[in-house]
Amino acid sequence: MQVNIRGTHVRVADDLRDYATEKVSHVGRIFDGLMKAEIEFREERNRRVAEKEIVEVTITSKAGTLIRAAAHAPDAFAAVDIVVDRLEGQVRRLKEKLVGRSHPRDSRMSGVHLRAAPRDEEEDLDGSPQIVRTKSFDMKPMTAEEAALQMDLLGHDFYFFSNSESGAANVVYRRRDGHYGLIEPVR
C-alpha cells in the first residue's frame, strides 16, 4: 500500500513519519484491497485545547471505496495509535460486509432494506446561510446497497451517488429509525 504523509502548518519529524507509515501499512495487511493511504498531521492552535495533535487518514481501496478516520490527542504518536485502531475496525467491517455479499446466506447486510422517503421536507431558509464549501468528486456507478456501505465507511449521514441500475443521480441517507432511505428523481 502506498502511504503519503503531509503536515498542514506543522513539520512532520522523520521518526513520526516512519511510525505512522508502519502503523498504517499494518492496516493494509488486514485487507488486500487497500491501495493508497493519505495521512495528514495538523496542530490545533488554541491554548485551551488539551488534545492539540490531529491526525486524519484516508484510505482508498482498489474498488474506489474511501475509508476515513481522524483522531485528536495530546501527542502525535498517541493520535496515530487512536486513528489506526479506528481504521482497523472500519477495514474489518468492510471485509466482513464484502465477504457477506459473496456469501449471501451469512450476510449481515441482508437485513438492510432501502426505502424511498415518503416526502421531501424542506427547511424554511431566511437567506442568511451561505455556501461556504464546495466539494467535487468522481461518481462511480454503484448500487444503492454499495452506496449505503460507502456512507457507513465514511461515517456520513447521507451519500450522493450515480445509480448503476437507473443511471440517475441518487442519494442514500440514514433515517432516524436506523434504517436507510433512498432519494431518486422522478422520470
Side-chain angles (χ1 to χ4, degrees), residues 52-67:
K52 292 182 183 280
E53 301 297 327
I54 304 168
V55 177
E56 184 176 312
V57 180
T58 304
I59 297 178
T60 308
S61 73
K62 291 178 184 173
T65 304
L66 293 176
I67 302 167

Side-chain angles (χ1 to χ4, degrees), residues 5 15-25 39 41 80:
I5 298 175
D15 57 342
L16 178 60
R17 185 178 297 271
D18 294 340
Y19 184 76
T21 302
E22 178 186 337
K23 289 291 210 171
V24 172
S25 295
I39 305 172
F41 289 92
V80 168

